[in-house]
Amino acid sequence: MDRECVSLLPRVCEVLAASGSSLPDDTSLEKLLDWFTEVTKAGTSLLESCPCLLEFISSVVHNTTLDPSILSFTLRLSGLVAVTEDAFTVLQQSSVLDLVFNLQHWQEAGLWEDPCIRIGWIQGLRTMMQHPKALGFFVQADFLKPLLQLQTDKSLFVASAANQMLAHVLLSCQSVSSVESNGVDEEGEDVGRSSGSIADLEYPAITVETNQDYAAVVTAISECLKKSLVPRKNSQLHQSLQILKLLALLLAQTRAPLWEKLLQMVADSVYELLAAGYSQLVLPLMDVILAAHSCDANRRVTDQRVSRLLSFMLNIRKPADLIQAAAAFLRRGRHDLVHTAQSARVLLLPLDIITGLNLLTTTADEQQFSMVEQLKNKTSCISMICVCLTNTPQITLTAADCLPCPPVLIVTAVLSLLRLCSGDFSSSSSSSSSCRDVSRNIIGSSKVQKCALEALIALSGSPGVEVKLPEVVTLLVQYLDNPHSDPTVLHKSYQALVRWMSVCSDLSSITDQHRQDLLQVATKRSCDIRWEVRDSTVEFLGRLAGVSVVQTTAEEVSDASVALLGGCCFTTPLLRAALQDPESYVRASAISALAQTLAASWQQGAALTQEHTEIVNQLLEVLSRDTEGFARRAVVRYFIAWLSSRSSHSSPPPLASSSLLMPSVRSVLSRGSADLDWEVKVHTLELAELLLHEAFSGQRGYMKGNPTQTHPYAVIPDTLHTRTHNEEDVVGELNSLVQWGVVSALLSGLVDCDRPVALRACRLLMTLREVVCPLSLGALDATAAMAMVAKVTCELPGCGWAREIRKMLATKAKDAERGCSVGEVVDCDDCGEAGQEAASGGGQTPCVSVCEVLRSLDLDERLDVLTRSSDHVHNSPFSLLQDILTASSAHSQPDTQQEVIVDCY
């Protein structure tokens, strides 16, 4: 703990313990407690490092007139201080501990009714109970009874905290012998503990010395859970809900024999609660049963009680509850074949009834009748169908023995359901009037349509479903052409189409009629009056271009855009038209789609056409004049994609491609680095980084990424030195970078007001410095070894970012001269002509050496500043303590007009 903090802490304690002293910002106490918790986790004893805390706790606990927030803070602090056995003993011997957690003391003061006092009492006890002495204190003080009462407290926060505390007590009472006899390895034990987050602090396992007292605690808690589980009236359902949450937590983490005892005590009550048929408790009940089932799966002999409970749950008479239970079971990882098959049948039954496709060979008449009756209610029907569709893909992932029908039949049912949603009853095989009544409930339901389309997307990877591709495409085109389709439904339809194209790569089954229909609907939707639809359409065109498919029986590989829409001749005009869209999201999506569409021609090194030139001019116009940042960001990413494809291509790019790309990149760097949007500037630096990598990859000193992450004595792999360090090559590449505007973009970013921009620019400049003028050589050695490199210059204009760079260089030059004048050993060549030019540049545009600029900017020091968080000064315990003192001072002087603002710690 810092000495400055220790010196301030006594004054803070005096302020908090003063009668009537209330802080205007109660969160300061939470932050102070967080700091104490961090100190304790680091292994420091609070009582040893801060002796004033004992006096503080003692004075506060005797002064019940203090603000309840300070009293609650003191309760939690007491538990934190007593987290070690030595500190616990000190508190107990001073009689502080008994008074702090004495309920009668708080009740007589009239403070127990305040929820923050109750929750402070619970959390203080829970934090403290990390060793046997604290557990013994809990048992001897008979805190179990009030804790059980708080478990059903009217405050949800208090009830939840009491739940966690009860679980902590039970798990603490587990004997070490029971842990060893359970046969669970250490890795499994650790996993079990971490999942429930029982304790905020981790300490060695508690060794139980007197099992009799602790067994009484376990029995009392179990008996209370058993009696309180079944509500006597509906108003007590919240109590049952809290107990079920506690049971789920306990059954997931307890071990033998406590696990068996808990299950034995509550099994009958759980049966009774199941029979009562409370729909609100279906999912909490499933959590309890599945927690027991998950633990039971590790046992050699299956517990029949767990199996019976699960079977009972999967045979509930209420159809809506039954579907919720089956879905909850399938969402869990470990399944047994019997209940998995049963859950799958339950979830497929509504689809079987509505579509009439006989997904299930046999179904109990009573179950089917009750399901039909429930589905006749429109609200229940939509809700149940959506649950079934959401979990249908999970069914196809189960073992083949559990599937009541093949996946292709499930896809057929989903397609039939989608037709019914659009009012097409021709595909329904159901002839009964009741089933048709049910089908009418889902007509026009966008909620069901979205769930069905999501299920169709997930089912695309199931085995044997490729044969349904023509039917899927036909249906999706119909949805896209439907004027009543919701924009979100259209978006899901586009996603489904792309997904099926990517999975079913053989498009030989797609007919010309399919292609013609898709062309028409894409053209139509690109001009839709709803911008969301236009955005989804151009996004679809781009994604389709990124999907590789087999177009003919001759196994000709192309992208899906070529196979379905004819390629660039169709998509490019649509996307160019979308560049003029009034909505910025659409313009940005169109630019991204253009990059995806043209990516294949870039990678193949195809000759550029007049259309490519026009597109580039359009994009540069967007970067210069578009008022929204979305489109401008997309433009820079477009050129990043183009340059990346050129860099990844093995053969040299065509001359025409380079003649168009590189001048365009220079314009992008110039305009992007001057943009007002910080994300545009960051993307511009990404483009500059690509050029750096292309120029110096393999050169000595060049490492892509963050240069500060490499230790100076680290062994550098030989693969990083694939090229010989030729000074002429470095000079040529550096000159090119200057001409393209890379160096100017990096220097501009270095002094940018947005921290992410400046941070990235600083790291890239350090990377460049390590290649052209590494600091490791020293000033004189670098000058001798890099004489030619030092002659490469760049311009520093007299305004904007360049003015800031010139000021920095001038300051460096003056500091060097001042150091020389007082006799210090300073190498004035470090500043060189760059500093001298900057100091006397006047209104001209000086040309300075790139190498000298890189060596004179103190990039390492600047990186250190930039990597700190923006609140590194205020975000500290010392600042927090100062804030508490200042805020309290302002509170004690109400005549003061100045507002005190507490730092956001």
Side-chain angles (χ1 to χ4, degrees):
M1 185 179 292
D2 295 338
R3 293 182 179 179
E4 294 179 337
C5 295
V6 173
S7 64
L8 280 185
L9 197 55
R11 291 174 53 200
V12 171
C13 290
E14 290 178 6
V15 166
L16 296 179
S19 178
S21 295
S22 177
L23 294 176
D25 180 14
D26 290 341
T27 59
S28 299
L29 298 175
E30 298 294 334
K31 298 162 189 172
L32 187 58
L33 198 65
D34 290 341
W35 173 52
F36 285 142
T37 303
E38 292 177 3
V39 171
T40 305
K41 284 183 176 180
T44 303
S45 172
L46 287 177
L47 213 53
E48 292 179 1
S49 56
C50 310
C52 61
L53 292 179
L54 180 59
E55 182 181 353
F56 166 73
I57 294 172
S58 179
S59 60
V60 168
V61 77
H62 284 93
N63 187 1
T64 56
T65 61
L66 287 172
D67 189 274
S69 62
I70 295 180
L71 295 173
S72 179
F73 164 78
T74 306
L75 284 166
R76 289 181 288 171
L77 177 62
S78 301
L80 190 61
V81 170
V83 81
T84 62
E85 293 192 4
D86 292 340
F88 175 89
T89 302
V90 172
L91 288 178
Q92 196 172 37
Q93 290 175 350
S94 60
S95 301
V96 172
L97 200 63
D98 294 329
L99 188 59
V100 167
F101 294 106
N102 188 338
L103 264 70
Q104 187 176 357
H105 171 71
W106 302 111
Q107 289 170 346
E108 290 175 352
L111 294 168
W112 190 248
E113 294 302 317
D114 194 314
C116 73
I117 298 296
R118 300 198 298 275
I119 200 169
W121 183 83
I122 295 171
Q123 292 178 347
L125 278 176
R126 183 185 171 193
T127 304
M128 179 178 63
M129 287 183 57
Q130 308 295 331
H131 48 82
K133 288 185 178 180
L135 183 57
F137 171 74
F138 175 87
V139 174
Q140 293 170 10
D142 197 19
F143 286 147
L144 180 59
K145 184 176 180 180
L147 188 60
L148 290 171
Q149 293 174 349
L150 291 174
Q151 197 260 342
T152 57
D153 195 89
K154 58 184 178 181
S155 169
L156 294 178
F157 295 103
V158 175
S160 177
N163 257 345
Q164 295 286 330
M165 179 62 182
L166 284 170
H168 186 82
V169 171
L170 277 176
L171 294 177
S172 299
C173 288
Q174 290 189 115
S175 63
V176 176
S177 59
S178 67
V179 177
E180 296 174 351
S181 63
N182 191 37
V184 181
D185 59 12
E186 294 180 359
E187 181 180 357
E189 181 181 344
D190 290 340
V191 171
R193 289 187 178 184
S194 63
S195 63
S197 299
I198 288 302
D200 294 328
L201 304 172
E202 294 183 2
Y203 286 85
I206 299 171
T207 304
V208 179
E209 300 172 355
T210 55
N211 287 329
Q212 185 175 359
D213 291 337
Y214 302 127
V217 172
V218 173
T219 302
I221 295 177
S222 303
E223 286 286 353
C224 179
L225 296 178
K226 177 182 178 181
K227 293 178 181 179
S228 306
L229 190 56
V230 181
R232 297 178 181 178
K233 48 187 177 181
N234 289 339
S235 60
Q236 296 178 337
L237 282 178
H238 75 283
Q239 174 180 328
S240 299
L241 179 61
Q242 291 296 330
I243 294 177
L244 288 172
K245 289 180 179 179
L246 174 60
L247 274 176
L249 180 65
L250 290 172
L251 290 173
Q253 298 189 32
T254 52
R255 299 173 293 273
L258 183 55
W259 186 88
E260 286 86 352
K261 183 169 185 177
L262 271 177
L263 189 60
Q264 181 181 359
M265 293 290 286
V266 302
D268 292 338
S269 296
V270 173
Y271 274 122
E272 188 176 351
L273 199 58
L274 284 172
Y278 295 108
S279 298
Q280 305 97 310
L281 301 180
V282 168
L283 291 180
L285 277 168
M286 279 302 294
D287 289 338
V288 171
I289 296 172
L290 291 175
H293 184 264
S294 179
C295 293
D296 194 45
N298 295 325
R299 298 162 57 90
R300 295 181 180 179
V301 180
T302 303
D303 194 301
Q304 294 301 318
R305 292 168 297 184
V306 178
S307 183
R308 284 198 302 269
L309 284 171
L310 192 52
S311 297
F312 190 99
M313 200 70 183
L314 294 177
N315 286 282
I316 302 175
R317 293 186 178 182
K318 291 184 179 180
D321 295 346
L322 178 61
I323 287 176
Q324 291 284 359
F329 179 80
L330 277 186
R331 283 195 295 266
R332 286 299 180 100
R334 295 177 178 176
H335 302 141
D336 60 82
L337 296 180
V338 175
H339 294 112
T340 299
Q342 187 178 0
S343 299
R345 292 176 61 82
V346 168
L347 290 173
L348 289 178
L349 181 56
L351 297 180
D352 178 274
I353 292 172
I354 292 181
T355 62
L357 289 176
N358 294 324
L359 301 177
L360 310 175
T361 53
T362 57
T363 306
D365 294 337
E366 181 181 356
Q367 189 180 54
Q368 184 160 4
F369 176 78
S370 62
M371 186 70 72
V372 171
E373 291 301 312
Q374 186 74 39
L375 290 172
K376 286 182 180 179
N377 180 281
K378 185 172 184 178
T379 304
S380 299
C381 177
I382 292 176
S383 176
M384 293 166 60
I385 290 295
C386 288
V387 173
C388 294
L389 289 170
T390 302
N391 293 275
T392 294
Q394 192 70 25
I395 297 175
T396 61
L397 299 178
T398 58
D401 297 342
C402 301
L403 286 175
C405 62
V408 65
L409 191 56
I410 298 178
V411 173
T412 304
V414 174
L415 292 173
S416 179
L417 190 69
L418 283 167
R419 293 191 186 95
L420 291 174
C421 288
S422 60
D424 182 7
F425 287 86
S426 60
S427 61
S428 178
S429 304
S430 179
S431 57
S432 65
S433 59
S434 60
C435 292
R436 291 193 175 184
D437 292 340
V438 171
S439 302
R440 291 190 182 95
N441 287 334
I442 63 173
I443 294 177
S445 173
S446 59
K447 186 176 181 180
V448 174
Q449 289 173 335
K450 285 183 284 187
C451 288
L453 288 168
E454 288 173 354
L456 192 63
I457 292 172
L459 291 169
S460 61
S462 302
V465 300
E466 297 87 353
V467 296
K468 306 298 292 185
L469 178 61
E471 189 176 346
V472 169
V473 173
T474 299
L475 177 69
L476 294 177
V477 170
Q478 290 174 357
Y479 259 72
L480 292 171
D481 194 42
N482 189 340
H484 303 295
S485 292
D486 186 82
T488 55
V489 172
L490 292 173
H491 182 68
K492 291 291 181 184
S493 300
Y494 280 128
Q495 286 183 330
L497 195 54
V498 172
R499 175 63 179 171
W500 276 77
M501 291 298 113
S502 62
V503 174
C504 308
S505 57
D506 185 0
L507 301 188
S508 57
S509 59
I510 300 299
T511 64
D512 291 338
Q513 186 63 45
H514 286 133
R515 297 184 177 90
Q516 184 178 352
D517 293 341
L518 189 57
L519 282 168
Q520 292 177 353
V521 75
T523 305
K524 170 185 172 182
R525 290 303 184 186
S526 66
C527 302
D528 199 283
I529 60 173
R530 296 164 293 184
W531 73 265
E532 299 95 337
V533 177
R534 300 196 303 274
D535 186 61
S536 297
T537 302
V538 297
E539 184 180 308
F540 161 73
L541 295 176
R543 291 185 175 179
L544 203 61
V547 177
S548 298
V549 296
V550 179
Q551 186 175 358
T552 64
T553 54
E555 297 188 355
E556 179 184 350
V557 179
S558 64
D559 63 67
S561 178
V562 174
L564 293 179
L565 303 175
C568 295
C569 61
F570 170 77
T571 57
T572 303
L574 285 182
L575 296 177
R576 289 187 63 185
L579 294 178
Q580 308 298 327
D581 196 278
E583 178 55 51
S584 61
Y585 291 108
V586 181
R587 298 195 296 273
S589 296
I591 295 169
S592 300
L594 274 172
Q596 292 171 300
T597 302
L598 299 175
S601 62
W602 294 339
Q603 293 170 357
Q604 295 168 4
L608 297 179
T609 63
Q610 179 63 29
E611 185 178 43
H612 289 129
T613 304
E614 294 173 357
I615 290 173
V616 168
N617 292 333
Q618 276 186 279
L619 295 181
L620 293 177
E621 186 75 12
V622 170
L623 183 59
S624 299
R625 298 190 177 183
D626 201 297
T627 57
E628 298 289 341
F630 303 107
R632 302 199 302 274
R633 296 170 202 162
V635 170
V636 183
R637 290 196 298 265
Y638 175 96
F639 286 96
I640 290 174
W642 191 358
L643 188 62
S644 299
S645 67
R646 191 188 84 148
S647 301
S648 61
H649 196 54
S650 57
S651 58
L655 182 60
S657 174
S658 296
S659 64
L660 178 62
L661 174 61
M662 297 319 296
S664 303
V665 165
R666 181 174 184 176
S667 299
V668 172
L669 289 171
S670 174
R671 301 175 189 181
S673 59
D675 200 281
L676 297 178
D677 185 276
W678 72 270
E679 291 188 61
V680 174
K681 290 181 282 191
V682 168
H683 290 317
T684 303
L685 293 176
E686 291 177 18
L687 185 62
E689 184 176 12
L690 278 176
L691 291 169
L692 279 177
H693 182 67
E694 186 178 274
F696 296 126
S697 179
Q699 288 283 6
R700 181 189 63 192
Y702 178 79
M703 294 192 70
K704 188 176 182 181
N706 184 359
T708 61
Q709 293 177 349
T710 304
H711 193 277
Y713 296 103
V715 178
I716 302 176
D718 293 337
T719 54
L720 297 176
H721 295 160
T722 55
R723 288 168 54 182
T724 305
H725 189 80
N726 190 316
E727 190 174 350
E728 294 182 358
D729 292 342
V730 173
V731 170
E733 298 291 359
L734 186 57
N735 268 316
S736 298
L737 293 178
V738 171
Q739 293 172 7
W740 293 334
V742 173
V743 175
S744 296
L746 296 182
L747 293 175
S748 171
L750 182 67
V751 295
D752 195 89
C753 59
D754 290 303
R755 179 169 164 264
V757 179
L759 182 60
R760 186 157 197 152
C762 185
R763 285 173 172 162
L764 292 177
L765 284 169
M766 291 177 68
T767 299
L768 180 61
R769 183 190 64 188
E770 291 305 310
V771 176
V772 300
C773 49
L775 294 176
S776 57
L777 294 178
L780 296 177
D781 293 340
T783 302
M786 306 251 176
M788 294 178 62
V789 177
K791 295 179 181 179
V792 179
T793 61
C794 66
E795 293 184 351
L796 290 181
C799 59
W801 63 268
R803 180 184 297 170
E804 295 298 321
I805 296 294
R806 293 171 68 179
K807 287 181 180 179
M808 295 168 64
L809 295 175
T811 302
K812 179 73 173 180
K814 290 178 181 179
D815 290 343
E817 292 175 1
R818 189 180 302 113
C820 290
S821 65
V822 296
E824 294 181 358
V825 182
V826 176
D827 190 352
C828 296
D829 290 338
D830 275 352
C831 308
E833 297 178 1
Q836 298 168 12
E837 289 277 6
S840 60
Q844 303 176 355
T845 303
C847 290
V848 296
S849 168
V850 174
C851 189
E852 290 183 3
V853 168
L854 292 175
R855 294 174 66 88
S856 303
L857 283 178
D858 292 329
L859 295 175
D860 300 275
E861 180 180 347
R862 196 168 186 83
L863 181 66
D864 182 59
V865 173
L866 290 170
T867 49
R868 298 175 186 172
S869 61
S870 58
D871 59 349
H872 68 277
V873 175
H874 303 293
N875 188 5
S876 65
F878 182 73
S879 177
L880 173 63
L881 297 176
Q882 287 183 319
D883 290 338
I884 293 175
L885 294 174
T886 305
S888 179
S889 175
H891 181 79
S892 62
Q893 300 175 10
D895 295 336
T896 304
Q897 297 297 322
Q898 183 179 1
E899 181 184 2
V900 178
I901 301 176
V902 179
D903 289 336
C904 182
Y905 168 62

